[in-house]
Amino acid sequence: MSDIETKSNDPVYVTETLIAEDIDAYLEQHQHKTMLRFITCGSVDDGKSTLIGRLLYDSKMIFEDQLDALTADSKKVGTQGAEIDFALLVDGLAAEREQGITIDVAYRFFNTEKRKFIVADCPGHEQYTRNMVTGASTADLAVILIDARKGVLVQTRRHSYLCHLIGIKNLVLAVNKMDLVDYSQEVFDKIVADYAEFAKSIGIESFTAMPISGFKGDNITGPSDNTPWYKGPNLIEHLETVEVLSSVDVDKPFRLPVQWVNRPNLDFRGFSGLISTGSVKPGDAIRVLPSGKTSTVTRVVTLDGDLDEAVAGQSVTVCFADEIDCSRGDVIATADNPPEAADQFESTIVWLNDEPLHVGRAYWLKLGTQTVSVTVREPKYTVNVNTMEQMAAKTLELNAIGVAELSTDKPLVFEAYADNRTLGGFILIDKITNATVAAGMINFSLRRAQNVHWQAVDISRDAHAGLKNQKPAVLWFTGLSGSGKSTIANLVEKKLHRMNRHTFLLDGDNVRHGLNKDLGFTEADRIENIRRVGEVAKLMTDAGLIVITAFISPFKAEREMVRAMLPEGEFLEVFIDTPLSVAEERDVKGLYKKARAGDLKNFTGIDSPYEAPAKPEIRIDTTKVTPDEAANLIVDALLGDA
């Protein structure tokens, strides 16, 4: 008898083989399950965490030791008496358990036989709305919970509006705690009717309503005997069958934001990224934006080998037939249907930072793999989510939702957020603190952005500078009022003039008589004042001049904004370092006296801050050198660096 025949008759071998085949089949099935990302949201104490805990429990995603710990915690800090408090599975922060609320977004993973899930439990308090936006930004579906005893509340409206704004099409209205209203159909119907009226007013076209009890488990994983009048699906059944966003994205035009240029050796060059929409295969004609260069796809490469076709949601490396310029931040798209590129937009912004929006200040805008510098104009309006009223606003405060225009420093490849989340959704980042201050959605580009183009000129900035035999530069004097900026700047220009250098002095007071006479001294006006001066200084350096500016310019962000406008090495920050007590003692213009008396508001150093430079190119301590000596030091530093 052969070895094969012996093994085939061995019961242990047969059993092990069948088990191995079953495991392989299970793993294969599990690997190809679709993934649904969803959030739970609503007002405080509507039962969001309890519902997720129940889903984890009923889907058998809790290990025995976790269940033992949950049982023990329920007795110590639970809110359900002797019964299990499922919310404790999700509320992990000590402050959450102490207060019985959700503060941060908690992500949990579970799966059923049909689908895998990632659920985000979003906080209900208004002060944590920014956390809710974070959780909703990647969701395919939102479960909006309502306490059956309380009905539609302010946060119900707020979260519903945000879900609609962010583009979540699949909404489940889960009327929770039905056990506390005796499973009344009348209560359920009234809540659904109230919500339907509100939903229609903000443009929500459809939603699925269901009566549930997260605590008791009614209509969570199966039909409930307590609601015989409800004929719709239970929650798990609905979650398993609803269409996910990625399946819709496959039918859209091909878009791949480039994350990385893959060049492991001289014989391979590919462009890696996550396909946001559409599909791609070898032979497809593509266009790289914003350059507009075209080529043909030769290979679609993955770690597991080449693909005949890749679709939305897959991370791949694409190779081209031609050696065209393509780098991180570019977008590869189908050649005959590319996205737009523009530098001015209308957008909807959700402000996430405690410090309000500074109109005119430069922020980083990150959209997909693109990062550009952006300024935000004064909002057109903000939205009162309680009444849907559009209200006038000068800025955006924490949790405010407003519509404003943006201007970027270079073209941004984009699509409207309604068509493409990846190329339409962005975040704003503070350039100084690196904090994420806002999330936004591009509505459309402004027509003037498409009509305004750079005019090519034959005489370059290098030619202008060469004619003057000098290197262009901006000497940016900053310091408190009375520090001696204007005096020293004037001496510097006189010395450079005697050396046949071509200069121009922009003084803070003089500029406010003309170019900036419409601006006051609020923080927003100070920012716009510096932005305009920076643009003028840039134009003057294009003409080959050495520009000397004397402005308090109290904020680091605005000085860095001007620095970013100029080629590296052309911006020299000159910190006229004078203590406040010394500057106030001089008080040549009597401004400190007025500020101390309350007659002059927003005065730097008194009731408005001054952010001193951390690493200026030139620092002048006016308590140790005379103005003439200071001017000599600055001229030496400038020409030694030229």
Side-chain angles (χ1 to χ4, degrees), residues 573-642:
E573 191 171 38
V574 183
F575 178 28
I576 307 301
D577 189 359
T578 302
L580 176 61
S581 58
V582 175
E584 189 168 359
E585 185 179 332
R586 294 171 182 169
D587 203 11
V588 179
K589 303 174 185 176
L591 301 178
Y592 283 100
K593 184 177 180 180
K594 290 181 180 178
R596 292 292 186 189
D599 297 330
L600 189 59
K601 300 297 182 183
N602 302 312
F603 190 75
T604 302
I606 305 301
D607 57 353
S608 184
Y610 177 76
E611 299 172 354
K615 295 180 179 179
E617 280 76 12
I618 305 170
R619 179 180 175 273
I620 300 296
D621 185 346
T622 60
T623 63
K624 296 180 179 179
V625 297
T626 66
D628 196 65
E629 290 171 337
N632 286 332
L633 289 172
I634 294 167
V635 170
D636 289 344
L638 171 68
L639 299 183
D641 188 57

Side-chain angles (χ1 to χ4, degrees), residues 31 86 173 179 224 300 316 318 342 384 399 407 445 485 514 517 559 561 566 576 613 618 625 639:
Q31 184 178 357
F86 292 107
L173 183 70
D179 54 305
S224 170
V300 180
V316 298
V318 178
N384 183 329
N399 293 329
S407 295
S445 64
K485 297 183 303 300
K517 67 180 179 181
R559 299 195 297 266
M561 172 182 67
L566 297 162
I576 307 301
I618 305 170
V625 297
L639 299 183

Side-chain angles (χ1 to χ4, degrees), residues 256-259 288-291 325-332 369-370 413:
L256 188 150
V258 177
Q259 295 177 331
V288 176
L289 278 300
S291 69
D325 184 28
C326 183
S327 58
R328 176 178 169 81
D330 289 346
V331 176
I332 304 171
T369 59
Q370 304 171 83
V413 181

Side-chain angles (χ1 to χ4, degrees), residues 253-287:
F254 171 63
R255 308 284 188 259
L256 188 150
V258 177
Q259 295 177 331
W260 176 48
V261 178
N262 190 346
R263 193 74 187 271
N265 55 60
L266 295 175
D267 300 321
F268 184 91
R269 182 168 178 257
F271 307 96
S272 305
L274 176 70
I275 301 175
S276 64
T277 59
S279 61
V280 64
K281 59 183 182 297
D284 284 352
I286 58 88
R287 186 182 301 272

Side-chain angles (χ1 to χ4, degrees), residues 451-461 464 542:
N451 294 340
V452 178
H453 305 279
W454 284 105
Q455 176 63 42
V457 293
D458 293 327
I459 307 300
S460 67
R461 71 194 315 271
H464 284 296
D542 286 344

Side-chain angles (χ1 to χ4, degrees), residues 125-188:
H125 279 69
E126 180 176 349
Q127 71 189 89
Y128 302 122
T129 299
R130 52 186 167 185
N131 294 358
M132 180 268 170
V133 172
T134 301
S137 62
T138 58
D140 300 296
L141 178 145
V143 178
I144 300 171
L145 279 91
I146 291 181
D147 188 327
R149 301 167 301 169
K150 300 176 182 178
V152 179
L153 301 176
V154 170
Q155 278 297 81
T156 311
R157 296 188 180 94
R158 178 183 293 273
H159 285 185
S160 298
Y161 178 75
L162 285 169
C163 288
H164 176 61
L165 188 67
I166 289 171
I168 299 177
K169 304 295 184 183
N170 299 308
L171 299 178
V172 174
L173 183 70
V175 182
N176 193 23
K177 304 186 181 182
M178 288 296 295
D179 54 305
L180 299 182
V181 295
D182 297 325
Y183 299 98
S184 168
Q185 182 179 1
E186 182 181 352
V187 170
F188 175 76

Side-chain angles (χ1 to χ4, degrees), residues 355-626:
E355 186 176 347
L357 163 71
H358 294 294
V359 174
R361 171 170 290 181
Y363 296 91
W364 292 121
L365 182 151
K366 188 170 178 60
L367 183 150
T369 59
Q370 304 171 83
T371 301
V372 298
S373 183
V374 65
T375 55
V376 184
R377 298 195 181 101
E378 186 175 295
K380 293 181 176 180
Y381 59 84
T382 59
V383 177
N384 183 329
V385 296
N386 302 326
T387 63
M388 293 300 109
E389 179 185 4
Q390 296 180 358
M391 305 173 63
K394 295 289 186 181
T395 184
L396 296 175
E397 306 281 352
L398 175 63
N399 293 329
I401 304 168
V403 173
E405 294 180 357
L406 309 175
S407 295
T408 59
D409 65 338
K410 59 183 179 181
L412 193 67
V413 181
F414 80 100
E415 289 188 301
Y417 184 82
D419 299 325
N420 189 324
R421 283 193 185 186
T422 302
L423 293 182
F426 62 85
I427 59 172
L428 297 181
I429 301 171
D430 187 284
K431 287 189 172 184
I432 302 299
T433 65
N434 282 325
T436 299
V437 296
M441 289 72 62
I442 291 178
N443 300 330
F444 51 81
S445 64
L446 302 180
R447 182 170 297 174
R448 61 177 175 270
Q450 298 170 353
N451 294 340
V452 178
H453 305 279
W454 284 105
Q455 176 63 42
V457 293
D458 293 327
I459 307 300
S460 67
R461 71 194 315 271
D462 289 339
H464 284 296
L467 187 65
K468 297 174 178 63
N469 194 29
Q470 63 184 31
K471 178 184 175 181
V474 171
L475 288 170
W476 190 275
F477 286 66
T478 177
L480 293 169
S481 177
S483 63
K485 297 183 303 300
S486 296
T487 299
I488 298 172
N490 189 51
L491 287 171
V492 167
E493 186 176 36
K494 287 169 66 177
K495 291 177 183 296
L496 290 172
H497 184 72
R498 286 198 296 268
M499 300 168 72
N500 294 320
R501 302 290 175 166
H502 298 261
T503 63
F504 196 89
L505 174 60
L506 291 168
D507 182 78
D509 286 346
N510 293 347
V511 168
R512 283 186 176 273
H513 283 295
L515 176 67
N516 293 343
K517 67 180 179 181
D518 60 318
L519 299 177
F521 291 90
T522 64
E523 193 165 332
D525 282 350
R526 288 178 184 273
I527 292 170
E528 176 60 13
N529 181 50
I530 299 304
R531 188 195 69 79
R532 293 183 192 178
V533 171
E535 294 287 358
V536 171
K538 179 179 180 298
L539 289 173
M540 288 183 168
T541 58
D542 286 344
L545 297 176
I546 296 172
V547 185
I548 304 163
T549 73
F551 294 83
I552 295 174
S553 50
F555 303 121
K556 294 179 184 177
E558 278 60 69
R559 299 195 297 266
E560 289 303 311
M561 172 182 67
V562 179
R563 183 188 294 274
M565 294 178 184
L566 297 162
E568 187 173 355
E570 287 191 14
F571 181 90
L572 283 76
E573 191 171 38
V574 183
F575 178 28
I576 307 301
D577 189 359
T578 302
L580 176 61
S581 58
V582 175
E584 189 168 359
E585 185 179 332
R586 294 171 182 169
D587 203 11
V588 179
K589 303 174 185 176
L591 301 178
Y592 283 100
K593 184 177 180 180
K594 290 181 180 178
R596 292 292 186 189
D599 297 330
L600 189 59
K601 300 297 182 183
N602 302 312
F603 190 75
T604 302
I606 305 301
D607 57 353
S608 184
Y610 177 76
E611 299 172 354
K615 295 180 179 179
E617 280 76 12
I618 305 170
R619 179 180 175 273
I620 300 296
D621 185 346
T622 60
T623 63
K624 296 180 179 179
V625 297
T626 66

